[in-house]
Amino acid sequence: VTLHLNPISSVHIHQKPLVFLLNSPLPLVWKLKTERLAPGIRRVFFVSLGSVVQFEKGNFSLSAETEEKVFPEKNEHLLQWAQKEYGAVTSFTELKISRNIYIKVGE
């Protein structure tokens, strides 16, 4: 699955930390494609067991962290867990089948 990350239109270059929970019932390879995200900013990708994140060429991967995590099974429980763990959830998306996911990040 390719994860496309771009800032919202009102933000020229996104310069804040990000945390992603990438959960799947089966192990996946998450391919990351980014545009206009500032280098050197901490970005964390938690993935379900057996999954990996592949970064594009460049220095984005130098400031990104990937960690395998056991997530709650049901989406409602995952959302509650994320809210408790991080205090807020700005976006939650559930897809049954997808090769590309487009996410706008911003304030």
Side-chain angles (χ1 to χ4, degrees):
V1 175
T2 302
L3 183 62
H4 301 264
L5 303 177
N6 302 310
I8 58 176
S9 60
S10 62
V11 175
H12 182 64
I13 296 181
H14 188 269
Q15 301 188 40
K16 293 191 175 183
L18 296 169
V19 176
F20 289 91
L21 309 177
L22 304 174
N23 189 26
S24 172
L26 299 172
L28 285 179
V29 174
W30 296 91
K31 296 179 182 179
L32 206 61
K33 296 210 180 263
T34 63
E35 288 183 32
R36 300 183 357 250
L37 299 186
I41 306 294
R42 185 171 185 245
R43 296 177 180 102
V44 182
F45 298 86
F46 291 108
V47 296
S48 47
L49 296 179
S51 293
V52 295
V53 177
Q54 290 181 348
F55 299 98
E56 293 178 286
K57 294 177 183 175
N59 61 1
F60 184 84
S61 63
L62 297 176
S63 59
E65 304 168 31
T66 303
E67 182 181 325
E68 284 187 51
K69 197 124 182 125
V70 176
F71 293 117
E73 285 187 33
K74 295 188 183 269
N75 284 334
E76 305 83 42
H77 298 141
L78 176 61
L79 184 56
Q80 290 170 355
W81 174 84
Q83 288 172 326
K84 183 178 178 184
E85 191 78 13
Y86 296 101
V89 173
T90 56
S91 177
F92 185 91
T93 304
E94 176 186 6
L95 302 166
K96 298 291 183 194
I97 298 174
S98 183
R99 292 183 186 264
N100 291 283
I101 299 171
Y102 296 85
I103 297 179
K104 297 281 189 186
V105 296
E107 302 182 22

